[in-house]
């Protein structure tokens, strides 16, 4: 007891320095996760006192909610398509850009990174995919004679999910992309030279045996960023496909959560959705990290 | 072609493959840049060019009309547009500066000292990078209403101060600072706060800019979410949504506002690019 007290006394400055950040972090991140987990076992509509219902919310979610199944299917599609594609794209473009001379490199980095920080200019895509003949894609296809009348891109179940994916990819070269470019620039040059002496013949071998293993920490970090983003698709879906989207074709777990949390006020049920989302995200992150440990072996 | 790539002779590189890779990069670069170039063009199009058939990508007769219309719209709206701009600036500036200060203060002990609970705290922060803010949206609303912050700017600013990615990047960057510097300051009798403020902070300037680049666009694009209801507290991003919903008559003004919204974060990135790259090099995660 006395030792702990002494230990606290010795590091009190550290706790004091960390306290403002940590108080807010716990208040708005850590505690809410715990609350959300607890609340998922209750029926709560913001008006009456919460009523304990046990596993009922989860049972309803997995056994009795067809819309959730659509949302889950779409979200997993995002996770297995846009997640890996954006991750690989981040790396490939960073890898090519790294070979360029400094001025061109800075310019290219800006081109690829700009969409992710351009303040959600989805509206550009709304005009491109607009369903009338003034829409750029329709106008182009009609002029070229591919189609005779405009296609309702954003109101057609066949296209909408693919369109949301394209726009999501366009926006996804963000933090991980920068981390990869920066990581590539810090690779030890002597390693590359030693590799050449040891018989590395071309850039592809260099990539697999030297570049990727040296970048493992950044690859880990980038994976976390891209996976979390691909599971969290919601705003883009709402901006492009509306809320709810046509026949729930672009519905995701997050939009489902919004539906029950901000429209129907079924807070217990929405918390169950949030808890499932939490475990989905953490689980896939952990799984991916395990896979990435095998890079370069 | 050669001078696009690095000039010195490099190992294992052949010109044909270089050219092929550069063509791939240029093609995708065009895909990335076109919507942005289009947004710039649109802002300067007169209304008849915005609704021309077949639609044209580039502007033919550039005009500043959309921006003039925006100014006149500012004057006539129920809440003047300057109010939306002021709200957005308030949220982004306080949110960004505060986040940099708080995250740095929390990162210094974690990066440079070992004490009871330091390891576990940092792993919680890393774990929170692995899920998005949507997970906590509902309890957050309850926490907000319990604090009485619903419909205040604090509801947007305060949670953003403890953005976990900022702490993570700041801590990774601070670990590079030599321990000898801190030891020397200690011997000279500096307090921990003094060390943080006079030695650590000046040394992590690149990381400040990185945190700014990550935090600024997030707040800049915030529309007030589910926390802000009063019209006079809403942000520019929300106002843009309203203008775009105005339909054909407002299409030109919408394009002008979108350009203004887009230009600010991109300009900030151009200014701080080299510092951002320096910080990102240390962003790695240990297994």
């Amino acid at each position: 007891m006395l030792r702990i007290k002494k230990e606290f006394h010795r590091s009190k400055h550290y706790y004091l320095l960390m306290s403002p950040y940590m108080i807010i972090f716990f208040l708005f991140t850590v505690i809410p996760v715990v609350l959300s987990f607890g609340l998922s076992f209750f029926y709560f509509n913001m008006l009456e006192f919460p009523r304990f219902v046990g596993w009922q919310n989860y049972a309803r979610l997995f056994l009795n909610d067809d819309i959730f199944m659509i949302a889950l299917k779409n979200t997993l599609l995002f996770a297995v398509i846009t997640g890996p594609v954006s991750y690989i794209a981040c790396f490939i473009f960073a890898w090519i850009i790294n070979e360029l001379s400094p001025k061109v490199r800075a310019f290219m980095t800006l081109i690829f990174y700009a969409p992710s920080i351009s303040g959600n200019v989805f509206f550009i895509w709304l005009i491109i995919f607009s369903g009338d003949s003034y829409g750029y894609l329709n106008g182009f296809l009609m002029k070229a004679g591919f189609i005779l009348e405009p296609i309702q891109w954003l109101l057609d179940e066949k296209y909408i999910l693919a369109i949301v994916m394209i726009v999501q990819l366009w926006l996804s070269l963000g933090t991980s992309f920068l981390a990869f470019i920066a990581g590539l620039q810090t690779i030890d040059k002597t390693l590359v030279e030693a590799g050449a002496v040891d018989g590395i013949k071309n850039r592809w071998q260099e990539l697999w045996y030297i570049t990727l293993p040296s970048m493992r920490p950044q690859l880990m970090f980038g994976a976390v960023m891209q996976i979390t983003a691909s599971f969290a698709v919601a705003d883009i879906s709402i901006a492009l496909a509306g809320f709810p989207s046509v026949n729930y074709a672009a519905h995701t777990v997050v939009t489902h959560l919004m539906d029950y949390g901000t429209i129907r006020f079924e807070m217990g049920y929405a918390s169950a959705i949030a808890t499932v989302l939490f475990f989905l995200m953490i689980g896939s992150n952990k799984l991916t990290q395990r896979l990435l440990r095998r890079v370069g072996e | 072609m050669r001078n696009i790539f690095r000039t010195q002779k490099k190992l294992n590189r052949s010109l044909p493959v270089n050219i092929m890779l550069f063509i791939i990069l240029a093609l995708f670069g065009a895909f990335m840049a076109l919507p942005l170039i289009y947004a710039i063009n649109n802002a300067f199009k007169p209304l008849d060019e915005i609704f021309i058939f077949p639609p044209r990508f580039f502007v033919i007769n550039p005009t500043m009309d959309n921006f003039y219309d925006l100014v006149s719209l500012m004057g006539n709206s129920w809440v003047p547009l300057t109010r939306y701009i002021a709200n957005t600036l308030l949220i982004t500036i306080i949110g960004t500066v505060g986040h940099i200060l708080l995250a740095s203060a929390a990162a210094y002990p974690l990066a440079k000292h070992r004490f009871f609970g330091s390891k576990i705290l940092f792993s919680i922060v890393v774990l929170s990078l692995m899920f998005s803010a949507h997970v906590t949206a509902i309890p957050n609303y309850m926490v907000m209403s319990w604090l009485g912050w619903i419909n205040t700017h604090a509801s947007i600013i305060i949670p953003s101060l403890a953005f976990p990615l900022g702490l993570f990047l700041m801590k990774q960057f601070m670990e590079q600072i030599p321990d000898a510097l801190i030891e020397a300051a200690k011997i000279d009798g500096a307090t921990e706060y003094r060390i943080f403020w006079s030695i650590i902070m000046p040394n992590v300037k690149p990381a400040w800019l990185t945190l700014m680049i990550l935090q600024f666009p997030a707040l800049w694009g915030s529309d007030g979410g589910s926390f802000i209801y009063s019209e006079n507290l809403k942000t520019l991003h929300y106002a843009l949504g309203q203008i775009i919903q105005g339909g054909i008559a407002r299409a030109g003004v919408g394009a002008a506002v979108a350009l203004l919204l887009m230009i600010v974060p991109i300009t900030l990135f151009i200014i701080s690019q080299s510092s951002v790259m320096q910080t990102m090099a240390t962003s790695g995660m240990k297994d």
Side-chain angles (χ1 to χ4, degrees):
Chain A
M1 200 64 219
L2 199 72
R3 233 185 58 232
I4 292 179
K5 217 169 153 173
K6 248 170 103 173
E7 165 73 27
F8 266 100
H9 189 76
R10 199 177 56 82
S11 22
K12 67 169 189 288
H13 300 304
Y14 306 146
Y15 293 117
L16 210 62
L17 272 171
M18 289 183 359
S19 59
Y21 180 95
M22 286 300 169
I23 288 167
I24 298 171
F25 177 66
F26 271 77
L27 202 57
F28 293 109
T29 303
V30 181
I31 294 169
V33 168
V34 179
L35 265 178
S36 190
F37 192 67
L39 203 58
S40 69
F41 295 102
F42 287 86
Y43 174 82
F44 182 38
N45 58 10
M46 302 288 277
L47 296 168
E48 300 160 24
F49 195 77
R51 189 175 78 237
F52 185 76
V53 293
W55 291 97
Q56 200 184 306
N57 285 327
Y58 290 98
R60 181 179 150 202
L61 189 61
F62 283 106
L63 304 173
N64 208 3
D65 188 343
D66 298 344
I67 311 293
F68 176 67
M69 286 301 143
I70 298 174
L72 193 62
K73 184 200 77 178
N74 288 342
T75 302
L76 291 175
L77 276 175
F78 274 108
V80 298
I81 299 172
T82 55
V85 169
S86 69
Y87 182 61
I88 292 165
C90 279
F91 184 82
I92 289 178
F93 294 136
W95 182 64
I96 302 176
I97 284 173
N98 189 53
E99 303 273 311
L100 307 173
S101 57
K103 277 215 168 63
V104 188
R105 189 198 306 148
F107 176 73
M108 275 299 184
T109 305
L110 174 70
I111 293 284
F112 280 85
Y113 184 64
S116 71
I117 51 167
S118 57
N120 307 347
V121 272
F122 302 127
F123 103 101
I124 305 169
W125 292 93
L126 282 175
I127 299 174
I128 291 173
F129 287 114
S130 170
D132 51 29
S133 51
Y134 301 114
Y136 278 60
L137 190 61
N138 279 335
F140 171 76
L141 291 174
M142 283 159 77
K143 204 174 143 197
F146 287 112
I147 53 175
L148 293 171
E149 51 190 33
I151 296 177
Q152 294 280 353
W153 297 105
L154 301 170
L155 297 173
D156 191 325
E157 281 179 68
K158 285 203 296 283
Y159 306 117
I160 187 66
L161 195 62
I163 289 174
V164 175
M165 279 183 180
I166 290 169
V167 178
Q168 165 72 16
L169 285 173
W170 181 72
L171 285 162
S172 67
L173 283 114
T175 316
S176 359
F177 172 68
L178 292 188
F180 291 164
I181 291 184
L184 283 161
Q185 284 174 30
T186 54
I187 287 177
D188 195 349
K189 301 275 181 296
T190 53
L191 262 182
V192 180
E193 283 156 20
V197 173
D198 288 343
I200 283 184
K201 284 192 287 295
N202 55 43
R203 73 173 83 205
W204 316 106
Q205 284 183 342
E206 185 185 305
L207 175 69
W208 183 251
Y209 290 108
I210 293 170
T211 314
L212 285 170
S214 322
M215 278 185 62
R216 195 172 300 171
Q218 276 91 6
L219 289 173
M220 287 272 181
F221 171 73
V224 169
M225 293 289 116
Q226 298 309 100
I227 289 168
T228 309
S230 68
F231 271 103
V233 173
D235 299 345
I236 303 172
S237 165
I238 290 171
L240 294 169
F243 182 50
S245 48
V246 54
N247 215 352
Y248 293 110
H251 207 51
T252 65
V253 173
V254 177
T255 54
H256 201 58
L257 169 72
M258 288 175 174
D259 185 0
Y260 281 91
T262 58
I263 296 176
R264 306 181 203 218
F265 289 122
E266 292 191 36
M267 293 310 187
Y269 193 61
S271 296
I273 300 170
T275 307
V276 170
L277 183 68
F278 173 81
F279 283 110
L280 267 178
M281 285 176 170
I282 300 277
S284 16
N285 268 307
K286 292 286 180 200
L287 188 74
T288 314
Q289 295 211 317
R290 200 164 284 178
L291 289 174
L292 281 177
R293 276 184 204 141
R294 308 182 48 177
V295 162
E297 282 168 8
Chain B
M1 203 67 207
R2 273 190 190 282
N3 57 7
I4 291 181
F5 290 89
R6 293 185 195 156
T7 38
Q8 83 263 31
K9 187 80 190 80
K10 285 198 51 172
L11 293 158
N12 303 325
R13 295 291 181 269
S14 62
L15 193 62
V17 182
N18 268 356
I19 291 170
M20 185 191 83
L21 289 176
F22 189 73
I23 289 170
I24 292 173
L25 188 72
L27 282 176
F28 280 97
F31 167 75
M32 294 302 282
L34 280 179
L36 298 175
I37 295 167
Y38 168 69
I40 296 166
N41 273 292
N42 240 20
F44 296 101
K45 280 179 189 172
L47 208 53
D48 57 337
E49 267 183 59
I50 291 181
F51 291 101
I52 199 171
F53 182 83
R56 282 179 175 251
F57 193 84
F58 293 106
V59 57
I60 306 158
N61 307 306
T63 159
M64 292 295 284
D65 282 357
N66 293 328
F67 293 91
Y68 299 139
D69 287 351
L70 179 64
V71 174
S72 67
L73 186 70
M74 264 185 185
N76 312 335
S77 63
W78 181 59
V79 173
L81 213 63
T82 40
R83 185 66 205 245
Y84 295 119
I85 295 172
N87 288 336
T88 291
L89 283 177
L90 180 91
I91 289 172
T92 43
I93 290 169
I94 297 181
T96 307
V97 174
H99 169 63
I100 293 170
L101 286 176
L102 262 57
S104 308
Y108 162 59
L110 291 174
K112 284 292 165 201
H113 299 286
R114 289 204 152 161
F115 50 92
F116 180 76
S118 59
K119 265 214 163 84
I120 183 88
L121 275 177
F122 188 64
S123 14
I124 293 175
V125 172
V126 172
L127 191 71
S128 71
L129 291 177
M130 297 185 184
F131 61 86
S132 68
H134 300 104
V135 170
T136 55
I138 290 161
N140 259 350
Y141 189 88
M142 294 172 190
V143 172
M144 281 295 169
S145 65
W146 175 69
L147 289 165
W149 287 352
I150 299 288
N151 211 14
T152 60
H153 283 149
S155 67
I156 308 289
I157 296 171
I158 305 286
S160 78
L161 296 181
F163 180 49
L165 183 59
L167 175 62
F168 174 81
L169 291 173
M170 194 50 109
K171 184 228 171 213
Q172 301 299 79
F173 193 76
M174 278 182 185
E175 280 180 342
Q176 300 178 87
I177 295 174
D179 285 337
L181 263 181
I182 299 172
E183 292 303 321
K186 266 218 176 89
I187 290 163
D188 290 345
T191 61
E192 288 293 348
Y193 310 101
R194 184 68 201 277
I195 291 172
F196 166 67
W197 193 247
S198 321
I199 294 171
I200 303 285
M201 277 312 250
N203 272 307
V204 293
K205 267 196 194 121
W208 299 356
L209 291 169
T210 308
L211 265 58
M212 175 191 82
I213 274 301
L214 295 173
Q215 182 80 333
F216 188 93
L219 288 166
W220 184 252
S222 137
D223 57 358
S226 50
F227 294 131
I228 292 188
Y229 301 106
S230 304
E231 199 62 32
N232 61 351
L233 296 175
K234 289 207 183 253
T235 60
L236 187 59
H237 204 271
Y238 167 84
L240 168 73
Q242 297 297 306
I243 291 171
I244 288 175
Q245 279 167 15
I248 291 178
R250 291 270 174 262
V253 180
V257 179
L259 179 67
L260 295 177
L261 275 174
M262 197 177 86
I263 283 298
V264 176
I266 292 178
T267 311
L268 274 178
F269 178 67
I270 294 172
I271 294 167
S272 56
Q273 190 171 352
S274 60
S275 308
V276 172
M277 286 303 167
Q278 231 178 309
T279 316
M280 284 295 177
T282 62
S283 68
M285 264 185 195
K286 312 267 185 312
D287 303 17

